[in-house]
C-alpha cells in the first residue's frame, strides 16, 4: 500500500513539473508573442484595399515606376459570383468562415511541428493571414522568420476583429496577383477571358482561383499543363467541400484549359513617361529582384535601383530623337549599357528605339545573339597577350597574307590590302584583323577564353575567328571594358542596390570585384585605346576628356550577299565601346532583321556618336575628369621607328618624329643605355632653342595634370597621353596623326634643335559632329620640312578621318575590316 501511494506521489510530482514547464514555456511564448505584436507593422483598410504593387526608385530616391497599381479593376464582394467565392475559399482555406480569430491553431500547430522537423517556417496560413502577408510582409524565404510568423498571426487577429469575413474576402480577391501584370479577379477575368467575372464558367473561375499560389508557374499561356493541373485541383477541392456536384466537377475538369482563353497580349505601359523611358532597365531589375527571392508584384516593396534617371532619360532621348544623332530610318535599332566601372552598378540602359508603350519588350542591351566585331580584340586578343606573354605596346606583328590553319579560308581586311609589319599599338588602334588573329594564335584560344571568362564573357566558339567578333551583349561589353578602366578588377553588373519590405526590413546589395588582370595589362590596353577616339574614330572624340574606346563592325558573308545583293558594302552590326575612369559605355546598332537591312557606310558611325552624346552629358554633370596614372608595373620608353623586331631605345637627341612612346611590362623592357640626366639636358636644350607649343583644350576644373597621371619617361619629358596622339597613338612613319590633343594645359617640348617642330600644328577637326555624314575629317596642317602625306581612312565605312601631316612616310591605313571567310565576319 505504501509503495502504491509513493508511486502516486511520484506521478503527481512529475505531472506537476511537466505542467510547470508547460506553463513557463507558455508564459515565455506569450511574452514573446506580445513583444513581437507590439513591434508589428501598422495595417489599415487603405493598405488592405490597395494593389499589391511595389515602387521602384532611382539612385537619388526619385520614383520611376509603380508595378501594377493602374491595372486593377476593383470589384466589391456583392458583385463576386458565389462560385468564385467557393473556389477561392475551398482551395485556400476551407475553414475560413469558422475562424473567429483569423488563425487556425490546429494548422499552426501542425505547421510548427513540420517546421521543426523539416527546418522551415512555412505553411499553416489562413486566408486572412495570406491577406496580411500580401499587404505588409515579404515573401523572401529568409524573411520567413518566427518573429514574422507571430506578427502575421497577430495582425490576422486584428483584421478579423475589425472586418467581416466578406470584407476580408473582398480585399483578398482584389489584391492577388494573377501574372502578366494583372491584379485582382475582375481584372483577371477581363485579361484572360475578355469577360466580366460574373460571366465566367466554373472552369474559368477555378483557373483564376488557382493562379495566386504560383502565378508564373500556372500561367495558361506559358505552362498550360501545369495550369490545368492546378485548375483541376481547385475543382476537386470545391467538390470535396460540397460546393459543386460530381457532374459539375467532371464537366469542368473535362474543359480544355484553352477554352475561352484570349490570345496572349503584352500589357501596355501606363502613360507614365518615366516608366516608358526606363522600361528595359526595370525589366532587368525585376528579374534580379525575383532571383533574390522576392515577388515585386505581391510584396509591396520599395526597390532602389542603381539607375541615374537623368542619365537614363538623356540616353532615351538620344536614341529616340534626331536632336543628337541622325539615324538612317526608324528601323535601325540600338542596345546600349552604361556601367560604373568602379563598382559594377548599371547606370543606364536602352533596349531599343521607337518602342512605344510596350511593356517588357525585347531588351537588345542584354541579348547575346549579335557579334561584337572588333570590340572583341582588346578583350580576347591583345589583353591576354600582355597578361600571359608580357608583350609591349611596341611588339611587332605582321599584317601579311594569312590563311586559317587547316582550312583554305583566307583572312582579309576590308580593303584587301596588307600593311606589313606594325606595332601592336598600331594594329589595335587601326583595327587590323590579321595581326589580331596572329596575336590570338600566339596566346592560345584556351588561354584567351579563360581570360575573358574572368571578365564575365563565356566563349563557346572553337575557332580563331572569334578573335575578331563573338556573341557578346552591350552589358557584357561595358562591364568587361570597365576592368580596363579601373586597373584590372571585374565587377559583375547589377541593377538593385536596396530592397525595403513593407514590414520595415531593409536588404542592401553590392558586388565584390575580382581581379581579372594585372594593372599593367589594364593600363597598357587603355593607353593604346586612347588613340582610337583621338586619331581613328574621331567622331567619338570628346575634347578635353580623358577617354579610351574601340570600334567594331560585323560584315556579311558572301552567302548572305549572294541572297541579297543590297547588303553588299553594308555592315550587319556596328559597335562602339568607350570609357573614362567614371563610366563605361557599350553601344550596338543594327537591324532586327539583318538579312533585309544592312548599315550603310554613312551610318556605321552612329554607335560612336551615341556614345559621344551620352558620355559628354555624363562628363559634364559628373564634373570629374581624372586621367589614368601609370602603375609602377609599367615602364614607358622612347623607341625608334626603325621597325626592328627588337625595340631600340631612341637617343635623347632624336627628333620626335623618329620615335614613339611605348609601354613595357616591368622586367621586360629593353635596357636603356642613356641616363636620366641625358634626357633632362636634351629636353632643356630643345625647350630653350625652339618655341614651345601649348595646347589649351577645355577640361573640368577637377582634371588631374598630365604630369601626374600620364605615361611618363624617366626624364619626365613625356606629357599628355590623354588623347594626345603624339604620345599615345603609334607615330610610326605610316601613322602620322600628331598632336590631336584633348589634354588641358599640355606643353609639348619635343621639337629638335635645327629642325622644324612637328608638334607646332594647327588642328582643324570636323569629325566630331553629330551628323550622319561619313568621312568626318581631322586635318593637321603641320609646319614641317617633310612634304609627304599619309591618308588614314579610319573607319572607311563610318566617318573615318583623313590626316594630312608633315611626317615622313606614305601609306594608306584603312581600319574597317572584313573577314574573307564564308561565315559572317567582323571589322574595324
Amino acid at each position: 500500500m505504501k509503495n502504491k501511494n509513493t508511486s502516486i506521489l511520484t506521478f503527481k510530482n512529475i505531472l506537476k513539473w511537466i505542467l510547470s514547464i508547460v506553463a513557463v514555456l507558455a508564459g515565455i511564448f506569450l511574452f514573446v508573442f506580445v513583444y513581437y505584436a507590439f513591434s508589428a507593422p501598422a495595417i489599415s483598410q487603405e493598405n488592405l484595399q490597395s494593389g499589391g504593387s511595389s515602387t521602384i526608385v532611382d539612385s537619388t530616391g526619385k520614383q520611376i515606376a509603380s508595378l501594377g497599381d493602374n491595372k486593377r479593376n476593383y470589384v466589391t464582394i456583392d458583385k463576386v459570383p458565389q462560385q468564385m467565392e467557393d473556389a477561392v475559399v475551398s482551395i485556400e482555406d476551407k475553414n475560413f468562415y469558422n475562424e473567429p480569430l483569423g488563425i487556425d491553431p490546429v494548422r499552426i500547430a501542425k505547421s510548427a511541428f513540420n517546421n521543426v522537423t523539416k527546418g522551415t517556417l512555412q505553411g499553416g496560413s489562413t486566408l486572412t493571414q495570406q491577406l496580411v502577408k500580401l499587404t505588409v510582409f515579404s515573401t523572401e524565404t529568409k524573411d520567413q522568420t518566427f518573429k514574422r510568423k507571430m506578427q502575421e498571426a497577430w495582425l490576422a487577429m486584428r483584421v478579423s476583429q475589425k472586418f467581416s469575413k466578406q470584407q476580408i474576402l473582398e480585399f483578398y480577391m482584389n489584391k492577388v496577383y494573377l501574372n502578366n501584370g494583372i491584379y485582382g479577379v475582375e481584372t483577371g477575368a477581363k485579361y484572360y477571358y475578355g469577360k466580366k467575372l460574373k460571366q465566367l464558367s466554373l472552369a474559368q473561375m477555378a483557373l483564376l482561383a488557382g493562379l495566386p499560389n504560383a502565378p508564373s508557374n500556372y500561367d495558361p499561356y506559358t505552362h498550360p499543363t501545369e495550369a490545368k493541373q492546378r485548375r483541376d485541383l481547385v475543382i476537386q477541392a470545391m467538390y470535396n467541400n460540397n460546393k459543386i456536384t460530381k457532374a459539375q466537377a467532371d464537366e469542368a475538369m473535362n474543359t480544355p484549359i484553352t477554352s475561352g482563353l484570349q490570345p496572349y497580349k503584352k500589357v501596355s505601359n501606363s502613360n507614365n513617361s518615366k516608366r516608358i523611358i526606363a522600361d528595359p532597365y526595370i525589366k532587368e531589375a525585376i528579374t534580379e529582384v525575383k532571383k533574390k527571392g522576392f515577388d515585386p508584384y505581391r510584396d509591396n516593396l520599395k526597390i532602389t535601383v542603381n539607375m541615374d534617371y537623368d542619365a537614363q532619360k538623356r540616353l532615351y532621348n538620344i536614341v529616340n530623337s534626331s536632336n543628337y544623332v541622325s539615324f538612317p530610318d526608324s528601323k535601325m535599332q540600338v542596345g546600349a549599357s552604361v556601367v560604373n566601372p568602379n563598382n559594377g552598378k548599371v547606370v543606364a540602359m536602352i533596349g531599343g528605339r521607337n518602342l512605344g508603350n510596350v511593356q517588357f519588350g525585347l531588351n537588345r542591351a542584354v541579348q547575346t545573339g549579335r557579334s561584337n566585331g572588333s570590340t572583341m580584340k582588346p578583350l580576347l586578343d591583345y589583353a591576354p597577350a600582355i597578361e600571359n606573354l608580357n608583350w609591349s605596346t611596341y611588339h611587332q606583328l605582321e599584317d601579311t597574307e594569312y590563311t586559317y590553319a587547316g582550312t583554305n579560308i583566307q583572312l582579309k581586311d576590308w580593303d584587301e590590302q596588307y600593311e606589313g609589319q606594325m606595332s601592336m599599338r598600331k594594329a589595335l588602334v587601326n583595327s587590323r584583323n590579321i595581326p589580331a588573329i596572329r596575336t590570338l594564335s600566339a596566346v592560345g584560344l584556351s588561354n584567351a577564353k579563360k581570360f575573358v571568362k574572368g571578365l564575365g564573357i563565356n566563349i563557346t566558339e572553337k575557332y580563331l575567328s572569334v578573335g575578331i567578333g563573338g556573341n557578346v551583349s552591350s552589358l557584357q561589353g561595358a562591364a568587361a571594358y570597365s576592368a580596363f578602366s579601373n586597373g584590372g578588377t571585374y565587377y559583375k553588373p547589377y541593377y538593385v542596390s536596396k530592397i525595403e519590405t513593407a514590414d520595415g526590413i531593409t536588404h542592401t546589395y553590392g558586388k565584390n570585384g575580382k581581379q581579372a588582370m594585372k594593372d599593367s595589362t589594364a593600363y597598357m590596353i587603355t593607353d593604346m585605346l586612347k588613340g582610337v577616339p583621338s586619331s581613328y574614330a574621331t567622331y567619338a572624340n570628346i575634347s578635353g576628356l580623358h577617354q579610351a574606346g574601340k570600334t567594331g563592325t560585323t560584315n556579311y558573308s558572301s552567302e548572305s550577299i549572294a541572297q541579297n545583293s543590297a547588303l553588299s558594302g553594308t555592315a550587319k552590326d556596328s559597335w562602339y565601346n568607350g570609357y573614362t575612369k567614371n563610366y563605361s559605355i557599350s553601344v550596338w546598332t543594327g537591324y532586327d532583321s539583318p538579312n533585309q537591312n544592312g548599315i550603310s557606310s554613312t551610318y556605321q558611325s552612329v554607335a560612336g556618336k551615341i556614345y559621344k552624346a551620352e558620355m559628354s552629358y555624363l562628363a559634364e554633370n559628373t564634373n570629374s575628369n581624372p586621367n589614368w596614372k601609370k602603375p609602377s608595373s609599367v615602364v614607358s620608353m622612347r623607341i625608334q621607328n626603325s621597325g626592328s623586331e627588337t625595340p631600340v631605345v631612341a637617343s635623347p637627341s632624336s627628333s620626335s618624329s623618329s620615335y614613339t612612346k611605348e609601354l613595357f611590362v616591368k622586367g621586360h623592357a629593353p635596357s636603356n643605355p642613356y641616363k636620366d640626366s641625358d634626357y633632362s639636358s636634351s629636353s632643356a636644350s630643345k625647350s630653350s632653342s625652339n618655341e614651345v607649343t601649348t595646347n589649351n583644350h577645355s577640361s573640368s576644373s577637377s582634371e588631374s595634370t598630365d604630369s601626374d597621371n600620364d605615361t611618363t619617361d624617366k626624364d619626365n619629358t613625356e606629357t599628355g597621353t590623354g588623347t594626345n596622339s603624339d604620345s599615345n597613338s603609334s607615330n610610326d612613319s605610316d601613322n602620322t596623326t600628331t598632336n590631336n590633343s584633348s589634354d588641358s594645359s599640355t606643353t609639348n617640348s619635343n621639337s629638335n634643335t635645327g629642325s622644324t617642330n612637328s608638334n607646332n600644328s594647327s588642328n582643324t577637326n570636323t569629325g566630331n559632329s553629330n551628323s550622319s555624314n561619313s568621312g568626318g575629317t581631322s586635318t593637321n596642317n603641320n609646319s614641317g620640312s617633310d612634304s609627304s602625306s599619309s591618308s588614314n581612312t579610319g573607319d572607311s565605312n563610318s566617318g573615318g578621318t583623313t590626316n594630312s601631316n608633315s611626317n615622313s612616310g606614305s601609306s594608306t591605313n584603312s581600319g574597317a575590316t572584313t573577314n574573307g571567310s564564308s561565315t559572317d565576319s567582323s571589322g574595324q
Side-chain angles (χ1 to χ4, degrees):
M1 188 69 177
K2 185 177 181 180
N3 291 336
K4 185 176 181 180
N5 290 335
T6 301
S7 299
I8 293 174
L9 289 173
T10 302
F11 174 77
K12 287 182 177 180
N13 288 335
I14 293 173
L15 182 60
K16 186 186 297 184
W17 276 106
I18 292 174
L19 292 175
S20 298
I21 293 171
V22 171
V24 170
L25 292 176
I28 294 173
F29 176 83
L30 183 61
F31 174 80
V32 172
F33 181 81
V34 172
Y35 175 77
Y36 285 153
F38 276 107
S39 63
I43 193 167
S44 65
Q45 181 170 343
E46 182 181 0
N47 299 140
L48 294 168
Q49 285 184 304
S50 68
S53 60
S54 297
T55 59
I56 299 178
V57 300
D58 78 349
S59 58
T60 66
K62 183 185 301 180
Q63 182 172 327
I64 55 177
S66 182
L67 305 182
D69 62 339
N70 63 329
K71 298 180 176 66
R72 185 175 62 147
N73 298 108
Y74 196 94
V75 58
T76 56
I77 196 65
D78 59 300
K79 299 293 194 303
V80 176
Q82 186 61 47
Q83 276 194 336
M84 189 70 222
E85 288 188 41
D86 294 339
V88 170
V89 171
S90 297
I91 193 63
E92 295 295 346
D93 181 10
K94 67 179 182 179
N95 296 317
F96 172 67
Y97 293 107
N98 299 315
E99 297 162 350
L101 296 178
I103 60 175
D104 187 337
V106 175
R107 290 177 68 184
I108 290 177
K110 289 181 178 179
S111 176
F113 177 78
N114 291 331
N115 295 155
V116 171
T117 57
K118 297 180 180 179
T120 60
L121 271 170
Q122 297 177 355
S125 295
T126 63
L127 193 148
T128 308
Q129 286 176 277
Q130 290 182 53
L131 172 63
V132 168
K133 185 189 304 181
L134 290 172
T135 304
V136 295
F137 288 115
S138 159
T139 59
E140 189 185 21
T141 302
K142 67 180 181 181
D143 288 337
Q144 310 280 323
T145 61
F146 180 75
K147 172 184 177 180
R148 211 208 70 176
K149 281 292 182 182
M150 294 300 97
Q151 292 178 334
E152 183 183 291
W154 166 252
L155 291 176
M157 294 168 65
R158 292 287 306 275
V159 169
S160 290
Q161 288 179 333
K162 193 172 182 179
F163 303 100
S164 69
K165 293 294 184 183
Q166 289 296 92
Q167 284 179 300
I168 292 171
L169 194 58
E170 177 183 308
F171 298 153
Y172 176 84
M173 295 176 76
N174 282 283
K175 187 177 286 289
V176 289
Y177 180 58
L178 304 177
N179 212 37
N180 297 305
I182 302 301
Y183 290 91
V185 292
E186 182 68 42
T187 314
K190 182 178 179 181
Y191 176 79
Y192 287 104
Y193 298 108
K195 299 178 181 178
K196 293 184 177 180
L197 186 60
K198 63 183 181 181
Q199 297 174 317
L200 300 188
S201 67
L202 171 59
Q204 293 167 343
M205 291 181 188
L207 173 70
L208 297 182
L211 274 172
N213 181 260
S216 59
N217 293 341
Y218 298 134
D219 188 321
Y221 296 115
T222 56
H223 302 286
T225 301
E226 292 79 359
K228 185 179 186 306
Q229 292 172 349
R230 178 65 178 173
R231 183 203 68 180
D232 292 351
L233 188 64
V234 174
I235 295 169
Q236 185 63 47
M238 294 178 70
Y239 173 72
N240 294 340
N241 205 24
N242 299 316
K243 299 300 180 182
I244 57 175
T245 65
K246 185 69 165 61
Q248 287 177 305
D250 290 342
E251 180 184 357
M253 287 185 182
N254 289 328
T255 301
I257 196 66
T258 56
S259 178
L261 192 66
Q262 294 287 291
Y264 172 75
K265 56 185 177 295
K266 291 182 179 179
V267 177
S268 297
N269 273 326
S270 66
N271 292 325
N272 185 331
S273 60
K274 290 182 181 178
R275 175 62 186 270
I276 296 170
I277 289 169
D279 188 73
Y281 191 112
I282 293 171
K283 177 183 179 181
E284 303 307 318
I286 288 173
T287 300
E288 190 168 285
V289 169
K290 289 181 176 180
K291 288 180 179 179
K292 296 180 184 300
F294 296 97
D295 188 334
Y297 292 101
R298 297 195 300 182
D299 289 355
N300 284 317
L301 308 171
K302 181 181 179 182
I303 303 166
T304 301
V305 295
N306 295 318
M307 177 195 297
D308 177 338
Y309 177 74
D310 292 335
Q312 176 73 26
K313 183 178 180 181
R314 174 55 65 95
L315 187 57
Y316 178 88
N317 289 336
I318 289 170
V319 305
N320 286 286
S321 74
S322 57
N323 297 332
Y324 306 89
V325 178
S326 295
F327 294 89
D329 51 50
S330 62
K331 293 181 180 180
M332 175 181 266
Q333 281 298 342
V334 174
S337 302
V338 183
V339 173
N340 185 326
N342 303 304
N343 49 38
K345 293 182 178 181
V346 180
V347 176
M349 173 175 284
I350 286 296
R353 297 176 62 228
N354 306 318
L355 300 181
N357 292 340
V358 177
Q359 181 179 349
F360 299 158
L362 173 64
N363 187 352
R364 296 163 185 83
V366 298
Q367 68 170 332
T368 56
R370 307 295 283 259
S371 172
N372 65 339
S374 291
T375 62
M376 181 70 90
K377 292 173 182 176
L379 300 169
L380 194 66
D381 307 336
Y382 296 113
I386 298 172
E387 183 80 4
N388 298 324
L389 304 177
N390 294 304
W391 282 12
S392 70
T393 59
Y394 175 80
H395 186 89
Q396 298 296 293
L397 294 163
E398 293 293 327
D399 186 11
T400 54
E401 186 173 334
Y402 181 89
T403 302
Y404 286 106
T407 74
N408 60 355
I409 300 173
Q410 191 171 2
L411 174 62
K412 296 181 180 180
D413 283 290
W414 75 275
D415 55 1
E416 297 189 5
Q417 300 294 317
Y418 305 108
E419 296 193 359
Q421 184 175 303
M422 64 179 63
S423 68
M424 178 167 68
R425 181 186 294 278
K426 181 181 176 183
L428 175 55
V429 171
N430 288 355
S431 202
R432 304 300 290 178
N433 279 346
I434 295 172
I437 294 301
R438 290 188 190 278
T439 299
L440 178 57
S441 179
V443 171
L445 186 55
S446 60
N447 291 329
K449 284 183 178 181
K450 183 178 180 181
F451 180 84
V452 295
K453 189 173 183 179
L455 294 172
I457 298 172
N458 185 30
I459 299 295
T460 58
E461 288 90 336
K462 300 179 181 179
Y463 305 103
L464 289 177
S465 58
V466 72
I468 53 176
N471 293 338
V472 177
S473 71
S474 76
L475 181 64
Q476 288 176 315
Y481 273 63
S482 290
F484 295 144
S485 171
N486 65 40
T489 301
Y490 173 74
Y491 293 93
K492 184 178 180 181
Y494 71 109
Y495 303 87
V496 179
S497 63
K498 183 166 63 175
I499 296 175
E500 300 170 71
T501 63
D503 55 335
I505 299 175
T506 299
H507 303 271
T508 57
Y509 305 96
K511 293 291 182 181
N512 294 321
K514 295 182 179 179
Q515 196 69 24
M517 68 186 82
K518 302 170 188 174
D519 59 355
S520 54
T521 302
Y523 183 81
M524 291 167 70
I525 288 290
T526 294
D527 191 72
M528 289 187 289
L529 290 183
K530 283 181 175 182
V532 173
S534 68
S535 66
Y536 182 78
T538 57
Y539 52 81
N541 191 46
I542 303 169
S543 179
L545 185 68
H546 297 296
Q547 61 176 329
K550 184 70 190 77
T551 57
T553 58
T554 302
N555 298 327
Y556 287 98
S557 66
S558 56
E559 287 81 2
S560 297
I561 295 174
Q563 294 175 5
N564 183 0
S565 60
L567 299 177
S568 179
T570 67
K572 189 176 184 179
D573 307 280
S574 182
W575 293 78
Y576 192 86
N577 286 12
Y579 58 95
T580 64
K581 290 201 73 174
N582 295 319
Y583 297 99
S584 177
I585 302 178
S586 176
V587 182
W588 165 84
T589 58
Y591 290 89
D592 288 339
S593 301
N595 290 329
Q596 296 179 14
N597 298 87
I599 310 171
S600 69
S601 59
T602 303
Y603 292 98
Q604 287 170 23
S605 59
V606 168
K609 291 176 180 178
I610 293 171
Y611 158 83
K612 177 180 179 178
E614 178 71 3
M615 187 64 88
S616 297
Y617 173 83
L618 292 169
E620 179 181 352
N621 286 274
T622 303
N623 196 32
S624 172
N625 185 22
N627 202 351
W628 288 270
K629 185 175 179 63
K630 182 172 68 65
S632 59
S633 57
V634 174
V635 176
S636 174
M637 304 184 77
R638 297 179 179 182
I639 303 299
Q640 291 183 4
N641 291 333
S642 61
S644 171
E645 286 285 345
T646 303
V648 178
V649 179
S651 69
S653 61
S654 299
S655 65
S656 60
S657 62
S658 67
Y659 65 82
T660 58
K661 309 287 182 63
E662 302 293 354
L663 302 178
F664 299 82
V665 177
K666 189 174 183 179
H668 298 272
S671 61
N672 190 346
Y674 306 103
K675 299 177 181 179
D676 293 350
S677 58
D678 295 335
Y679 286 102
S680 299
S681 60
S682 175
S683 176
S685 174
K686 292 175 187 178
S687 299
S688 64
S689 61
N690 292 278
E691 180 182 357
V692 176
T693 301
T694 302
N695 298 322
N696 295 313
H697 289 275
S698 61
S699 176
S700 166
S701 59
S702 63
E703 177 185 347
S704 303
T705 61
D706 293 330
S707 60
D708 290 334
N709 290 322
D710 286 336
T711 308
T712 306
D713 279 339
K714 293 180 179 179
D715 59 1
N716 293 322
T717 60
E718 179 180 345
T719 60
T721 63
T723 52
N724 187 337
S725 60
D726 180 56
S727 57
N728 288 291
S729 300
S730 173
N731 284 336
D732 292 343
S733 60
D734 56 353
N735 184 3
T736 60
T737 305
T738 64
N739 204 31
N740 184 16
S741 175
S742 62
D743 296 338
S744 68
S745 303
T746 300
T747 300
N748 294 312
S749 55
N750 294 329
S751 58
N752 296 314
T753 303
S755 64
T756 302
N757 183 353
S758 64
N759 288 319
N760 186 11
S761 60
S762 173
N763 299 325
T764 301
N765 190 336
T766 62
N768 294 334
S769 68
N770 284 332
S771 70
S772 62
N773 185 26
S774 66
T777 62
S778 174
T779 304
N780 299 329
N781 298 314
N782 294 312
S783 56
S785 58
D786 296 333
S787 60
S788 58
S789 65
S790 71
S791 173
N792 184 341
T793 61
D795 296 349
S796 71
N797 49 7
S798 54
T801 64
T802 300
N803 301 304
S804 299
N805 303 284
S806 63
N807 293 326
S808 62
S810 175
S811 66
T812 300
N813 301 327
S814 303
T817 56
T818 303
N819 183 345
S821 67
S822 59
T823 59
D824 286 347
S825 59
S826 70
Q828 50 159 341

